[in-house]
Amino acid sequence: MIVRRASKPIRIGSVTIGGDSPIVVQSMTKTDTRDVMSTINQIKELEECGCELVRVAVPDMEAARAISAIKRGISIPLIADIHFDYRLALMALEAGCDGLRLNPGNISQPEKVKAIALTAKERDVPIRIGVNAGSLSRAADPQLPIAQQMVEAALQQIRLLESLDFDLIKVSLKAFDVPTTIEAYQDIASKIPYPLHIGITEAGTPRTGIIRSTVGISTLLYLGIGDTIRVSLTASPREEVIAGYEILKSLNLRQHGPILVSCPSCGRAEVDIVKLAEAVEKELLKIDKPIKVAVMGCVVNGPGEAKDADVGIACGKGRAVLFKKGEKIRTIQEKDFVGVLMREVEGL
Ligand code: SF4
């Protein structure tokens, strides 16, 4: 049983982060933010696969100004990612962003942070203090372990915001190194009341990045730490959202779309289970319902798992037994496996 750390909820546009709210899945666009149409199109794709919050890079004033046009074309809240220049944050706020991410490693001067916080407060826009191990300021003692430096960098900026009576705060402490990230989050989780955005930075391509992200994010979630997640992948942002939900589903923290149970196949299988499971998985991407579908290779575990699912098949040579809600329905022929299974799924 996971007991979530208590955190002070904040609202980013229509989405609540922290408190008792479901853990939010977010991603970041990979388009040039100044290219409004491409950015809207990518966000629309993200909305379709369930992304609940999106962040865009704001490298210059043109990108900051583009936020107002992008906002008109999308339905989910938008967060502006700001580095180096506080004026980009002010412009992004004026353009209507729903949240800001600031990096204390490159915007730390109190008067600049103050200017941002005052405008953000007027507009009720939260700020994420996004510490990254790759861009730590010299705020903390460089002799300290990286995790402690990250925590110290965040605490300094939190204290500054609190001194300005600003508490719409969210915090992230990301590193590529998983134990460092876990240590940093565990440390700060007991020191502040604010919600935490968790993730492993620069995690890599899907093959390794999903594993690295899952190890870090899941460990934290299991400890009750984390109110919103972003899986960083060198891939389409859709992959990030799909991976994010799979992590949450694996820990029974959220339901989102179907769960596919498929056996790994072995020498007992008399049909190509790998090909069959891939075909079913592709079809299931079109389904929203939180159902369990089983594709099993033989009679050893097949009937048991298939019976436990909402719909399932346990295959034999050239045919399979179709199960629905624990009941054996009928035997189906191999050429009909995917079609029949999907018709049953659609009928649920
Ligand atoms: S269900 Fe059957 S085919 Fe699949 S891995 Fe288990 S024993 Fe092998």
Side-chain angles (χ1 to χ4, degrees):
M1 180 77 179
I2 296 173
V3 180
R4 246 174 104 186
R5 160 186 170 265
S7 65
K8 182 180 173 310
I10 54 166
R11 277 183 77 77
I12 301 185
S14 55
V15 172
T16 303
I17 311 247
D20 295 332
S21 297
I23 294 164
V24 169
V25 175
Q26 60 173 286
S27 185
M28 185 167 180
T29 53
K30 305 190 179 196
T31 52
D32 182 338
T33 308
R34 295 165 294 195
D35 180 348
V36 171
M37 273 327 293
S38 299
T39 304
I40 288 176
N41 288 339
Q42 191 164 72
I43 296 174
K44 288 275 169 210
E45 279 178 26
L46 287 171
E47 287 175 3
E48 271 167 30
C49 63
C51 183
E52 295 166 305
L53 271 182
V54 69
R55 182 159 47 112
V56 299
V58 182
D60 60 19
M61 279 294 177
E62 195 184 336
R65 278 191 288 269
I67 287 172
S68 60
I70 295 168
K71 282 270 300 167
R72 285 195 293 276
I74 64 172
S75 308
I76 54 176
L78 181 148
I79 298 168
D81 193 66
I82 311 288
H83 297 265
F84 303 110
D85 188 348
Y86 80 106
R87 290 167 300 184
L88 297 175
L90 297 179
M91 178 53 75
L93 285 165
E94 197 180 318
C97 69
D98 300 290
L100 282 176
R101 181 272 170 119
L102 302 183
N103 182 342
N106 54 44
I107 302 181
S108 58
Q109 297 96 322
E111 66 283 6
K112 292 177 179 168
V113 176
K114 183 177 177 184
I116 299 170
L118 290 179
T119 311
K121 192 173 180 185
E122 268 168 34
R123 294 172 183 260
D124 221 17
V125 170
I127 295 174
R128 165 158 69 99
I129 298 173
V131 177
N132 193 307
S135 55
L136 281 170
S137 66
R138 274 153 291 164
D141 178 356
Q143 302 303 318
L144 289 173
I146 295 288
Q148 282 183 41
Q149 287 187 52
M150 291 163 71
V151 170
E152 188 49 38
L155 289 176
Q156 284 189 19
Q157 198 142 60
I158 289 167
R159 285 186 211 112
L160 175 58
L161 290 177
E162 286 175 341
S163 74
L164 302 166
D165 200 23
F166 187 92
D167 65 353
L168 302 173
I169 298 171
K170 181 167 54 121
V171 176
S172 64
L173 304 166
K174 297 187 188 177
F176 174 76
D177 185 66
V178 173
T180 300
T181 307
I182 293 169
E183 211 179 295
Y185 276 107
Q186 275 192 288
D187 187 10
I188 206 154
S190 60
K191 294 184 167 146
I192 58 168
Y194 305 112
L196 296 172
H197 162 132
I198 61 171
I200 301 297
T201 196
E202 292 114 24
T205 57
R207 183 180 288 260
T208 52
I210 290 177
I211 296 169
R212 181 168 278 275
S213 293
T214 303
V215 172
I217 291 172
S218 305
T219 304
L220 287 167
L221 290 173
Y222 197 73
L223 294 170
I225 295 170
D227 301 288
T228 175
I229 65 175
R230 190 243 173 148
V231 177
S232 304
L233 294 176
T234 313
S236 152
R238 279 177 62 91
E239 298 293 321
E240 299 185 353
V241 174
I242 293 165
Y245 278 111
E246 289 303 325
I247 292 171
L248 294 175
K249 280 155 66 175
S250 301
L251 288 167
N252 298 333
L253 286 166
R254 292 237 9 212
Q255 289 193 330
H256 181 84
I259 292 172
L260 175 62
V261 180
S262 63
C263 82
S265 190
C266 72
R268 282 180 191 277
E270 294 179 288
V271 296
D272 187 343
I273 288 295
V274 176
K275 201 167 142 200
L276 177 61
E278 281 173 1
V280 172
E281 183 178 57
K282 198 168 161 211
E283 290 299 314
L284 288 177
L285 284 176
K286 301 169 195 162
I287 306 291
D288 289 335
K289 291 175 246 187
I291 51 169
K292 194 168 174 187
V293 178
V295 174
M296 303 299 289
C298 78
V299 291
V300 174
N301 296 319
E305 285 288 357
K307 275 175 89 170
D308 186 45
D310 292 295
V311 188
I313 52 173
C315 303
K317 192 173 174 57
R319 50 175 57 197
V321 177
L322 174 71
F323 290 88
K324 194 170 170 184
K325 305 271 186 201
E327 298 291 325
K328 184 175 160 183
I329 304 290
R330 63 179 192 276
T331 301
I332 56 175
Q333 298 301 312
E334 189 168 349
K335 67 176 174 40
D336 301 324
F337 283 175
V338 179
V340 169
L341 202 53
M342 291 314 297
R343 268 198 299 284
E344 294 294 342
V345 164
E346 278 153 23
L348 283 170

